[in-house]
Amino acid sequence: MATPDLLWQTIRNENAKSEVEREEILANPGFGHFFTDHMVDICWSTGGGWHRPRVQPYGPISLEPSAAVLHYGQEVFEGLKAYKHADGSIWTFRPEANARRMQRSAHRLALPELPVEYFIESLRKLVAVDGSWVSDADETSLYLRPFMFAKEAFLGVRPANKVAFYVIASPAGAYFTGGVSPVSIWLSTDYSRAGKGGTGAAKTGGNYASSLLPQAEAAEQGCAQVLFLDSVEGKYLEELGGMNIVLVYKDGTLVTPESESILEGITRDSILQLARDRGHAVEERRVSIDEWREGAASGDIVEVFACGTAAVVTPIGQLKAADFTIGDADAPAGELTMSLRQELTDIQYGRLPDRHDWLTRLDA
Ligand code: PLP
Ligand code: COI
């Protein structure tokens, strides 16, 4: 059955930021601090399906205190970016992949699956009113955050019959305060991020809530991110709190963990494709912390990086654990890491041909 067209309503924000205020924010956005003037809101109910799609002023959401999401965490989200090209056009990167991942996350959290068309239309609608928030400064973008949650006022534990889907947008510079220089990460051995059969592969708030304490431990150790191991044997690499991890071997092979309990990163998938295009071997397989330790000591593993929408590609200089350290906090950024990062961002910003058809124009 074809997805029915949505009848959109747009309510303009009468108190939108002035151009001067907006430019001031765009000059130094950081990550996740500021929000554009509007947001998208679509309702869903068991009987009514998706309805009442609108673009409205960004602002507080009114919820009953008994709304299910506040009690049982039934929510999912996505993250992707809008980029301005040199000719002023606005594009996003592989939005169908985010839309489909949101469907998989929703399925796991017993939420309704938003059609891919609605997901992408929502991004277009928001950019139509807030396009001036996409900066043309180097390495900046507009981070788009679609999310969906159970808003039914009901305390019984079952999937909610009323759900809301929103998209908000936040101008973004570098995710880490140090820019693109190598980061140190902390190995969490006391906590797991996700277990077998759990929600690790879904982009749902609970996974991030459970990463906050180990993330705080990482910060105490002077580390920018936490690395989790598998929850069964405590041996195999999973991912960081908010990014995937990739190891580069001396012979040019890229290795990244295979696991049912990590997020299938779209940045990782894209980077691995670019590496394959250059003739690198790519392996998605289990990789143990001992393999990393031994490989780094012997010189077999020459670079390690983190990747994700927010972090793009960030070199990892050092891994700190309670009783050992790998690498060096002052290590220079890996050459392949930086050149893959450059190629990916060149495609995203329209400086290189989009040979894999990854870009979708949002402002036309
Ligand atoms: N892993 C986690 C836990 C994340 O939060 C993210 C970021 O979205 C990623 C991996 C990378 O995913 P993507 O490249 O699709 O942004
Ligand atoms: C993203 O990269 O989109 C994420 O959701 C990760 C988070 C650390 C902001």
Side-chain angles (χ1 to χ4, degrees):
M1 199 179 79
T3 312
D5 285 346
L6 291 174
L7 275 177
W8 286 83
Q9 186 187 4
T10 296
I11 305 159
R12 285 270 172 182
N13 187 345
E14 300 300 331
N15 297 308
K17 297 260 187 320
S18 69
E19 192 177 340
V20 172
E21 288 171 309
R22 190 175 65 235
E23 290 305 323
E24 203 173 305
I25 291 171
L26 292 182
N28 190 13
F31 184 88
H33 298 288
F34 303 100
F35 302 93
T36 63
D37 297 310
H38 297 86
M39 61 187 186
V40 160
D41 170 12
I42 311 179
C43 300
W44 179 90
S45 65
T46 314
W50 297 104
H51 60 276
R52 218 204 60 160
R54 51 170 73 181
V55 178
Q56 62 188 58
Y58 175 90
I61 295 172
S62 158
L63 278 183
E64 292 209 31
S66 54
V69 65
L70 300 176
H71 303 270
Y72 310 125
Q74 196 192 1
E75 81 95 16
V76 297
F77 68 96
E78 267 305 326
L80 67 172
K81 285 173 168 173
Y83 307 89
K84 190 167 273 182
H85 287 189
D87 64 359
S89 57
I90 298 172
W91 300 75
T92 193
F93 186 72
R94 305 185 70 182
E96 305 83 9
N98 292 90
R100 284 196 299 270
R101 187 170 68 187
M102 192 169 199
Q103 291 181 331
R104 294 195 297 277
S105 299
H107 176 73
R108 180 63 185 85
L109 272 288
L111 283 162
E113 292 177 34
L114 183 79
V116 172
E117 298 88 329
Y118 294 177
F119 182 98
I120 294 173
E121 202 179 348
S122 300
L123 308 180
R124 288 191 207 283
K125 292 284 176 193
L126 191 55
V127 163
V129 289
D130 282 341
S132 55
W133 285 88
V134 190
S135 164
D136 48 18
D138 244 18
E139 297 286 324
T140 61
S141 57
L142 184 63
Y143 183 78
L144 304 166
R145 170 54 64 88
F147 60 106
M148 189 195 293
F149 59 87
K151 72 171 175 194
E152 185 182 357
F154 176 64
L155 291 184
V157 182
R158 59 147 171 75
N161 288 319
K162 279 190 186 167
V163 166
F165 169 78
Y166 282 83
V167 186
I168 57 173
S170 175
Y175 185 73
F176 295 113
T177 43
V180 196
S181 48
V183 295
S184 295
I185 63 171
W186 170 249
L187 180 68
S188 180
T189 43
D190 291 344
Y191 302 103
S192 296
R193 176 181 174 276
K196 188 171 160 49
T199 58
K203 206 160 167 61
T204 180
N207 293 339
Y208 297 80
S210 74
S211 78
L212 297 178
L213 183 60
Q215 176 66 37
E217 210 175 79
E220 272 168 33
Q221 298 290 334
C223 294
Q225 274 278 305
V226 55
L227 170 67
F228 292 104
L229 298 177
D230 76 281
S231 64
V232 177
E233 297 182 65
K235 232 167 102 172
Y236 297 100
L237 308 188
E238 289 264 298
E239 62 181 329
L240 310 187
M243 285 134 233
N244 293 118
I245 188 166
V246 178
L247 293 77
V248 182
Y249 287 66
K250 192 172 56 187
D251 69 356
T253 303
L254 283 80
V255 177
T256 192
E258 177 180 46
S259 162
E260 282 175 9
S261 49
I262 65 176
L263 196 75
E264 295 172 275
I266 295 157
T267 314
R268 178 174 81 151
D269 186 69
S270 310
I271 285 287
L272 295 181
Q273 183 60 51
L274 296 180
R276 270 189 222 102
D277 294 350
R278 295 181 185 193
H280 288 266
V282 168
E283 294 172 12
E284 204 169 319
R285 61 166 168 83
R286 297 219 289 184
V287 36
S288 71
I289 190 72
D290 286 344
E291 179 177 341
W292 184 0
R293 272 184 91 171
E294 287 156 18
S298 69
D300 264 354
I301 295 175
V302 289
E303 300 180 26
V304 183
F305 62 85
C307 55
T309 297
V312 194
V313 173
T314 300
I316 295 173
Q318 183 182 53
L319 173 81
K320 277 170 87 174
D323 49 4
F324 65 91
T325 298
I326 304 175
D328 180 350
D330 302 321
E335 224 172 275
L336 183 65
T337 301
M338 295 311 280
S339 100
L340 286 170
R341 181 186 209 282
Q342 187 67 45
E343 185 176 358
L344 179 71
T345 53
D346 281 346
I347 293 171
Q348 290 169 331
Y349 287 93
R351 298 181 295 244
L352 271 182
D354 176 24
R355 66 180 186 276
H356 289 291
D357 231 354
W358 280 337
L359 300 188
T360 294
R361 188 160 178 188
L362 290 179
D363 64 331

